[in-house]
Amino acid sequence: MTDRFLFRFSPEDDFPPFPDEAAQRHSHDLASLLSILIEAARCNVIDAPGKAPDDPSIVDEFGRLVGAAHGFEVAPDVPLIDHLWTHGEPFRRGEVAERLRDSSKHSAMSVDGFLALYGTDVESPILYGPNMMPFRVSQAIEMPSGIPGPFLVLVGCRLAPDGRAEAPFAYAQPIFHGRRFMPVASELERDVLRALEQLQVALDAQGADCRIERVIGKPARRDAPTIELTISRQDSVIRTVRFAVQADEIMTPPSHEIGFIVTPATWADGGFVTWLEHAILQ
């Protein structure tokens, strides 16, 4: 039996694993779970214009997340796809509680549920977004400091002792914009991504494809998000360029894996653009 990743955040009611059970039993915080789901859904990738929908939408991005949910379980043999909702209404009208009660009857461990929501503002513990009622969690919404929305928010849900669903915590990940659920760590990174989308269009006109990937996991840096560009022509890779985006001016030297560090200064003075042109054309 192969190991299966368990998408869960509530460890307190776990039972010891059955003999020979291969499922992973450790829990993960909501930020890590959201990062894992984003990567599985390829929301951290912007494909070349010739290989992507002409007008990506928020519906497309949620569709990616739902598609990726097929690859995870919230408990052994309990699929995440049946415990993930993309609106707050199922929680309010009791659908989430009903599903968790039913699944818990057939599981040897507690069963979690999750809401993946789009929001524009967070005032913990309340999430605000367009065309939706404000959503309140019972304890706190965690988020990175110093960067405004929009956000992709993962809300963790579990059964309360009285059988109702509760949503104690959520994590709000800043994203590029509502049609691209790519994680960002600063407004500078959003500016860089907008410029890279223009680069994609320019290269497409020259018959070359440019894929943008926000690296999650290794070899991503902890102190600065890592972006990788893959330039290709007729599916043959011509060049791979990797750089990091650091929103402060604390200079971290480039490494073997990272060719350049974009800072507010190198963005403003054109240093990054000059380096990128050289890196692509070399």
Side-chain angles (χ1 to χ4, degrees):
M1 182 182 295
T2 58
D3 285 356
R4 295 167 295 174
F5 180 86
L6 291 187
F7 203 93
R8 54 187 285 102
F9 78 104
S10 298
E12 63 274 10
D13 295 325
D14 282 1
F15 294 96
F18 293 115
D20 300 322
E21 181 180 353
Q24 299 178 30
R25 302 300 292 268
H26 60 281
S27 299
H28 303 263
D29 62 51
L30 288 168
S32 296
L33 290 176
L34 183 54
S35 179
I36 289 166
L37 185 61
I38 285 173
E39 184 176 27
R42 297 186 75 250
C43 290
N44 62 315
V45 175
I46 302 178
D47 287 316
K51 298 183 178 181
D54 291 336
D55 296 304
S57 69
I58 192 171
V59 174
D60 295 325
E61 293 298 276
F62 275 121
R64 287 191 186 194
L65 296 177
V66 170
H70 286 276
F72 300 99
E73 296 178 338
V74 295
D77 300 319
V78 183
L80 172 62
I81 187 62
D82 294 335
H83 298 79
L84 176 68
W85 293 264
T86 57
H87 300 280
E89 281 306 308
F91 180 86
R92 296 188 181 97
R93 63 174 177 252
E95 179 182 331
V96 172
E98 182 179 2
R99 182 70 52 80
L100 294 180
R101 287 195 299 268
D102 182 67
S103 296
S104 295
K105 295 176 184 177
H106 309 287
S107 175
M109 66 167 65
S110 60
V111 176
D112 295 333
F114 298 90
L115 308 179
L117 306 176
Y118 173 77
T120 52
D121 294 286
V122 172
E123 295 181 13
S124 184
I126 305 175
L127 169 69
Y128 299 91
N131 304 315
M132 62 173 277
M133 289 180 59
F135 190 91
R136 178 189 291 268
V137 302
S138 60
Q139 297 191 38
I141 301 175
E142 296 182 0
M143 57 184 289
S145 62
I147 176 171
F151 303 95
L152 178 62
V153 182
L154 187 66
V155 181
C157 305
R158 63 191 180 196
L159 280 178
D162 62 4
R164 294 182 298 175
E166 62 177 5
F169 299 105
Y171 180 76
Q173 171 61 58
I175 54 174
F176 184 16
H177 54 69
R179 292 172 287 108
R180 296 285 190 194
F181 287 176
M182 179 174 283
V184 296
S186 64
E187 281 294 338
L188 175 61
E189 191 174 2
R190 286 187 175 123
D191 290 339
V192 170
L193 289 172
R194 280 188 282 268
L196 294 179
E197 285 191 320
Q198 294 176 1
L199 174 64
Q200 283 184 313
V201 174
L203 289 173
D204 183 67
Q206 301 297 320
D209 293 325
C210 175
R211 185 187 69 193
I212 305 167
E213 179 177 354
R214 212 264 200 172
V215 180
I216 295 178
K218 294 181 179 180
R221 300 172 61 109
R222 291 186 177 182
D223 57 336
T226 302
I227 295 176
E228 182 177 279
L229 305 181
T230 302
I231 314 298
S232 61
R233 192 186 301 270
Q234 296 180 347
D235 295 326
S236 296
V237 175
I238 301 172
R239 192 91 65 242
T240 299
V241 178
R242 185 178 287 136
F243 58 90
V245 182
Q246 190 162 300
D248 56 46
E249 294 295 351
I250 300 175
M251 287 304 297
T252 304
S255 64
H256 175 71
E257 295 86 6
I258 308 298
F260 193 88
I261 308 293
V262 186
T263 66
T266 60
W267 174 253
D269 67 14
F272 168 63
V273 174
T274 300
W275 172 84
L276 185 59
E277 289 177 347
H278 175 74
I280 292 175
L281 297 175
Q282 68 177 354

